[in-house]
Amino acid sequence: MPGIKGPSDYSQEPPRHPSLQINSKVPFNAEPPRSALASSYVTPVDLFYKRNHGPIPLVDDIDRMLPKYNVTATLQCAGNRRTAMSKTQKVRGVGWDVSAIGNAVWGGAKLADVLELIGIPKLTCSTQSGGKHVEFVSIDKCKEENGGPYKASIPLSQATNPEADVLLAYEMNEEPLNRDHGYPLRVIVPGVIGARSVKWLDSINIIAEECQGFFMQKDYKMFPPSVDWDNINWSTRRPQMDFPVQSVICSLEDVQSIKPGKVTISGYAVSGGGRGIERVDISIDGGKTWLEASRSQKTGAPYIADHVSSDKWAWVLFEVTVDIPYSTEIVAKAVDSAANVQPENVQDIWNLRGILNTSWHRVQVRVGHSNM
């Protein structure tokens, strides 16, 4: 595993793209403008959201021995769209808008191959010594761990399944990982919230119980609206893994003035666990009536929500052109291949940490008539 090259402090942060919306300077957390997401199926590295819990480590490079696999996968912070949830009732966490998400081509070794090298066969659920989980420990140190390393785990059955495509990744979009995204080595766990794709990987442990780190046991869990900071019991919920079906309109801001006439509505839709997107519905009257948007992944190729002809871990981009003659509310909702659909109201899924806001995405358009 890589070694620390130098001290990790905020004086040696890497340069970032000037268009990023900074949500937190220390530690650095930022997202691109939403319009940048719908313009490219593969998100440029500079415009991929940055999620950190401490300073960016300076780390030595690594040797690469196993065959490289490329996996196109969408990473999404569990707190994506937290700002909108906070408008219902205040929540704790970084104030993400709709762009704490991105889609990239990750290159690296399959974790299942690595584990096989040390004697753990593929499709193993438990080792002879009782190991049932794989823990990833980062070089990254964070205050939530009292200065200890960030860490997370996944079930051994997932780690040893080649079809789960869990990677030890050293490339992003055909280039070496940069420091913001985990150079020189990180984990990619497709279909799962980004918190489990540990960056700056230091060590891998086979353990009997799931990781007991802060971000597994006292964060990133989904609680009902009735739970608050006075009555929360973290042990009553499992760590969140797969993310639910999600869609967002990226071609329009939350409130936008437009001229009457044809408007193209575009954005992204994605679901966790390798589930495809069966449908994206768009309403231009606040949800009273609906029409279906077109869906695509690779340019020029029709999208089919199966594991044969599509990138099963990646988002789809949707688009529809409609006539907007008057001010209205435009709504998007997606349905995945298991017929899961986004909930209508954010109030129904409000939770004190503000994670997994997958409610219908709504934007307001105000139509103005020019005198020209």
Side-chain angles (χ1 to χ4, degrees), residues 210-268:
E210 65 191 15
C211 170
Q212 295 300 299
F214 179 91
F215 295 100
M216 288 288 290
Q217 300 303 327
K218 293 190 175 181
D219 204 352
Y220 299 122
K221 293 183 176 183
M222 186 69 166
F223 285 89
S226 59
V227 172
D228 58 32
W229 293 105
D230 294 324
N231 64 15
I232 189 169
N233 181 350
W234 289 101
S235 66
T236 61
R237 292 293 184 276
R238 299 293 305 278
Q240 185 66 38
M241 301 303 280
D242 289 7
F243 52 81
V245 62
Q246 172 80 283
S247 70
V248 163
I249 297 167
C250 295
S251 56
L252 297 166
E253 297 298 320
D254 288 341
V255 179
Q256 185 157 339
S257 297
I258 62 171
K259 294 179 180 179
K262 298 292 184 183
V263 175
T264 296
I265 302 166
S266 60
Y268 64 78

Side-chain angles (χ1 to χ4, degrees), residues 196-216:
R196 313 309 176 208
S197 289
V198 174
K199 296 182 285 188
W200 311 293
L201 187 62
D202 184 41
S203 61
I204 298 174
N205 303 312
I206 309 302
I207 55 179
E209 304 294 334
E210 65 191 15
C211 170
Q212 295 300 299
F214 179 91
F215 295 100
M216 288 288 290

Side-chain angles (χ1 to χ4, degrees), residues 96-112:
W96 296 107
D97 188 32
V98 301
S99 302
I101 188 171
N103 192 51
V105 180
W106 307 96
K110 285 200 176 184
L111 180 57

